[in-house]
């Protein structure tokens, strides 16, 4: 079952830690480390074991992907009219697919490890 408190906090942590580690630690793998740590925190916080941690961390990552796609579509429509809407929709769809895969891998594995450590 999804616990929305840790999911929302994990979404915010993924944004903050991903940007922080991407800029200050390493621009190539720092973002992935930030996603992993955010997923770990969510998985540890929910106390539902490995599967519960994996599921909640993956939902947090998917939420971030969907919000990013919505912002791209709205921004494209505001600044580019119908052509901007089309470009934003195509780009948003592509980014959702790619970031869902990345978030499932990095946040999901981090959440599973956090859930394993927290026990239950």
């Amino acid at each position: 079952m999804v616990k929305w408190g840790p999911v929302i906090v994990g979404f915010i942590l993924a944004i903050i830690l991903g940007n922080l580690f991407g800029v200050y630690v390493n621009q190539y793998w720092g973002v992935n480390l930030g996603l992993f740590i955010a997923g770990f925190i969510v998985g540890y916080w929910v106390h539902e074991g490995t599967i519960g941690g994996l599921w909640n961390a993956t939902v947090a990552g998917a939420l971030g992907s969907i919000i990013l796609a919505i912002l791209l579509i709205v921004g494209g429509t505001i600044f580019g009219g119908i052509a901007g809407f089309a470009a934003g929709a195509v780009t948003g769809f592509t980014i959702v697919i790619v970031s869902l895969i990345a978030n499932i891998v990095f946040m999901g594995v981090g959440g599973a490890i956090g859930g394993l450590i927290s026990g239950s």
Side-chain angles (χ1 to χ4, degrees):
M1 182 170 169
V2 176
K3 292 186 178 180
W4 288 104
V7 166
I8 299 298
V9 172
F11 160 68
I12 294 169
L13 278 175
I15 293 171
I16 292 171
L17 292 177
N19 288 325
L20 185 70
F21 288 148
V23 171
Y24 294 113
V25 175
N26 189 325
Q27 68 184 25
Y28 299 109
W29 51 265
V31 175
N32 297 333
L33 179 64
L35 291 174
F36 178 81
I37 292 172
F40 179 83
I41 291 170
V42 171
Y44 190 80
W45 189 1
V46 296
H47 293 291
E48 290 184 358
T50 305
I51 300 299
L54 175 107
W55 180 251
N56 283 283
T58 303
V59 169
L63 181 67
S65 301
I66 293 168
I67 289 174
L68 177 65
I70 291 170
L71 289 175
L72 281 172
I73 292 172
V74 170
T77 304
I78 290 172
F79 293 113
I82 193 71
F85 173 76
V90 170
T91 306
F93 180 74
T94 305
I95 286 179
V96 163
I97 298 300
V98 171
S99 66
L100 274 176
I101 293 170
N103 288 338
I104 286 171
V105 170
F106 293 109
M107 289 189 76
V109 169
I113 293 171
L116 180 69
I117 291 174
S118 73
S120 177

